[in-house]
Amino acid sequence: MLESNTPKPFKINNHKEHIYLLPPQGMSRARDILPLLPFSRTTLHEWSLDGRFPASVRLSPSMVAWRNSDVLEWIENHSNPANNTQENTNE
Protein backbone atom coordinates (compact mmCIF):
# COMPACT_ATOMS: atom_id res chain seq x y z
CA MET A 1 0.00 0.00 0.00
CA LEU A 2 1.39 3.39 -0.99
CA GLU A 3 1.35 6.12 1.59
CA SER A 4 1.28 9.75 0.54
CA ASN A 5 3.04 12.65 2.18
CA THR A 6 -0.24 14.58 2.21
CA PRO A 7 -1.13 15.72 5.74
CA LYS A 8 -4.33 14.15 6.98
CA PRO A 9 -7.09 16.20 8.58
CA PHE A 10 -6.96 16.04 12.31
CA LYS A 11 -9.58 16.32 15.03
CA ILE A 12 -9.62 18.47 18.12
CA ASN A 13 -11.89 17.38 20.93
CA ASN A 14 -13.69 20.56 21.98
CA HIS A 15 -16.44 20.01 24.56
CA LYS A 16 -17.24 16.56 23.21
CA GLU A 17 -17.63 17.90 19.68
CA HIS A 18 -15.15 17.05 16.97
CA ILE A 19 -13.92 19.95 14.92
CA TYR A 20 -12.27 18.83 11.72
CA LEU A 21 -9.42 20.90 10.37
CA LEU A 22 -8.19 20.58 6.82
CA PRO A 23 -4.65 21.67 5.96
CA PRO A 24 -4.64 24.28 3.16
CA GLN A 25 -2.10 22.36 1.10
CA GLY A 26 -2.44 18.88 -0.32
CA MET A 27 -5.43 16.79 -1.28
CA SER A 28 -8.08 14.88 0.66
CA ARG A 29 -10.44 12.02 -0.04
CA ALA A 30 -14.22 12.21 0.38
CA ARG A 31 -14.09 10.65 3.86
CA ASP A 32 -11.83 13.52 4.96
CA ILE A 33 -13.92 16.40 3.65
CA LEU A 34 -17.47 15.11 4.21
CA PRO A 35 -17.44 16.04 7.93
CA LEU A 36 -16.95 19.66 6.82
CA LEU A 37 -19.83 19.66 4.33
CA PRO A 38 -23.61 19.87 4.83
CA PHE A 39 -24.38 17.15 2.30
CA SER A 40 -23.84 13.47 1.50
CA ARG A 41 -21.18 11.58 -0.46
CA THR A 42 -23.59 11.23 -3.40
CA THR A 43 -24.20 14.98 -3.51
CA LEU A 44 -20.45 15.62 -3.24
CA HIS A 45 -19.79 13.57 -6.36
CA GLU A 46 -22.78 14.96 -8.28
CA TRP A 47 -21.90 18.58 -7.44
CA SER A 48 -18.24 17.96 -8.34
CA LEU A 49 -19.33 16.78 -11.78
CA ASP A 50 -21.78 19.61 -12.48
CA GLY A 51 -19.61 22.47 -11.14
CA ARG A 52 -21.46 23.36 -7.93
CA PHE A 53 -18.47 22.07 -5.93
CA PRO A 54 -14.78 22.00 -6.93
CA ALA A 55 -13.89 19.22 -9.33
CA SER A 56 -12.21 16.12 -8.02
CA VAL A 57 -8.87 14.88 -9.34
CA ARG A 58 -8.62 11.26 -10.43
CA LEU A 59 -5.63 9.66 -8.69
CA SER A 60 -6.22 6.17 -10.08
CA PRO A 61 -9.04 4.38 -11.91
CA SER A 62 -10.87 3.90 -8.61
CA MET A 63 -9.68 6.85 -6.48
CA VAL A 64 -10.45 10.57 -6.52
CA ALA A 65 -9.45 13.41 -4.22
CA TRP A 66 -10.08 17.13 -3.90
CA ARG A 67 -7.55 19.95 -3.57
CA ASN A 68 -7.78 21.17 0.01
CA SER A 69 -7.37 24.80 -1.06
CA ASP A 70 -10.38 24.50 -3.41
CA VAL A 71 -12.51 22.86 -0.71
CA LEU A 72 -11.58 25.46 1.91
CA GLU A 73 -12.31 28.31 -0.53
CA TRP A 74 -15.72 26.79 -1.36
CA ILE A 75 -16.56 26.42 2.35
CA GLU A 76 -15.51 30.00 3.05
CA ASN A 77 -17.56 31.36 0.15
CA HIS A 78 -20.64 29.38 1.15
CA SER A 79 -20.46 30.06 4.87
CA ASN A 80 -20.63 33.84 4.42
CA PRO A 81 -24.33 34.93 4.43
CA ALA A 82 -23.50 37.91 2.20
CA ASN A 83 -22.48 35.49 -0.57
CA ASN A 84 -25.65 33.44 -0.24
CA THR A 85 -28.24 36.19 -0.69
CA GLN A 86 -29.32 38.02 -3.78
CA GLU A 87 -28.65 41.72 -3.99
CA ASN A 88 -31.68 43.87 -3.28
CA THR A 89 -32.63 46.22 -6.09
CA ASN A 90 -34.27 49.54 -5.38
CA GLU A 91 -37.26 50.30 -7.57
Side-chain angles (χ1 to χ4, degrees), residues 20-57:
Y20 289 84
L21 301 175
L22 199 62
Q25 56 289 97
M27 301 180 84
S28 294
R29 304 280 311 277
R31 70 174 174 262
D32 301 322
I33 62 174
L34 282 169
L36 304 170
L37 303 174
F39 44 77
S40 70
R41 177 181 298 271
T42 301
T43 301
L44 171 64
H45 289 285
E46 288 175 357
W47 285 18
S48 293
L49 290 173
D50 70 16
R52 289 183 277 176
F53 191 78
S56 59
V57 176

Side-chain angles (χ1 to χ4, degrees), residues 37-82:
L37 303 174
F39 44 77
S40 70
R41 177 181 298 271
T42 301
T43 301
L44 171 64
H45 289 285
E46 288 175 357
W47 285 18
S48 293
L49 290 173
D50 70 16
R52 289 183 277 176
F53 191 78
S56 59
V57 176
R58 185 158 298 281
L59 302 178
S60 76
S62 62
M63 184 185 305
V64 297
W66 285 261
R67 289 179 190 86
N68 292 349
S69 58
D70 293 345
V71 173
L72 292 170
E73 181 181 351
W74 186 91
I75 291 169
E76 185 175 314
N77 289 339
H78 288 80
S79 64
N80 182 350

